[in-house]
Amino acid sequence: MVFTELMDMVEATFGSEVLENMIDGAQLPHGGAYTAVGSYPHGEIVKLVQALSECTGIAVPDLVKAFGSYMFGRFHEMYGRFFSDVHHAFDFLASVETYVHQEVRKLYPDAELPTFETYQPDPGCLVMVYRSKRGFGDLAEGLVIGAIQHFDEKITLTREDFEDAQGKATRFTLQQH
């Protein structure tokens, strides 16, 4: 699904010519044909985003964050049940690992999902720790930004990339105003 959504976002944002140039520039073995239910190597999406960066002149991290924000909107459209009775970004983000990812695993048992550990040191602050072997902290940041925008809340987001005994991770701290 991530691959087809990237294609849709690129076409909607930059046009079909940029989409074609991105696919050609990525030099993928199968020519960039994806389905929403297929499973594809992570390296292919990296090649696509690098090729998109070359086509647009926009830095890869900025493109990945923009894609994450776009994906949040698409998740809301496609999986509205995840958002029923949720009215605040903190509540939704805190439920990603315990509710959303459980439901995604039911739909896509082979999905290799990242993990999100969350805790609230005080009522106006949420801390999320993102871990993934793919290291897509920029995508996670974009998804968090998308959530903040969706719920239209005044929240400051800070990010810290770090490494600990479990490996590389990204900590997002969300502070309400």
Side-chain angles (χ1 to χ4, degrees):
M1 184 180 103
V2 173
F3 284 84
T4 58
E5 290 299 329
L6 176 65
M7 302 295 179
D8 290 347
M9 184 201 88
V10 169
E11 187 168 29
T13 305
F14 301 105
S16 57
E17 186 176 328
V18 170
L19 175 61
E20 289 177 31
N21 290 339
M22 176 189 73
I23 293 168
D24 291 344
Q27 299 179 355
L28 301 170
H30 51 75
Y34 299 102
T35 66
V37 294
S39 181
Y40 306 99
H42 168 257
E44 289 187 20
I45 203 155
V46 171
K47 287 181 180 181
L48 286 164
V49 174
Q50 288 170 335
L52 179 60
S53 176
E54 290 173 20
C55 292
T56 63
I58 300 171
V60 168
D62 294 334
L63 289 169
V64 175
K65 286 179 206 174
F67 178 55
S69 184
Y70 171 86
M71 282 293 296
F72 186 89
R74 292 293 295 142
F75 287 148
H76 181 259
E77 289 175 24
M78 294 185 299
Y79 302 105
R81 69 182 179 277
F82 294 152
F83 297 86
S84 62
D85 298 325
V86 179
H87 306 287
H88 301 284
F90 282 14
D91 295 337
F92 179 79
L93 292 169
S95 76
V96 169
E97 190 63 33
T98 57
Y99 175 65
V100 175
H101 279 180
Q102 278 185 353
E103 294 300 312
V104 171
R105 283 184 185 95
K106 289 177 188 176
L107 296 170
Y108 305 101
D110 296 334
E112 293 180 34
L113 300 173
T115 62
F116 287 96
E117 303 161 31
T118 59
Y119 60 94
Q120 282 193 265
D122 64 64
C125 181
L126 177 71
V127 178
M128 299 182 72
V129 177
Y130 162 83
R131 295 182 188 278
S132 172
K133 67 180 185 178
R134 294 185 179 109
F136 248 161
D138 293 328
L139 182 64
E141 184 175 353
L143 287 162
V144 172
I145 290 167
I148 293 168
Q149 292 170 340
H150 172 79
F151 290 102
D152 194 27
E153 295 179 294
K154 293 185 185 318
I155 296 174
T156 301
L157 173 65
T158 57
R159 173 183 171 169
E160 174 193 4
D161 295 315
F162 67 96
E163 192 165 344
D164 62 12
Q166 297 177 47
K168 292 181 180 181
T170 302
R171 180 180 297 110
F172 300 106
T173 303
L174 294 84
Q175 188 70 49
Q176 291 177 328
H177 302 183

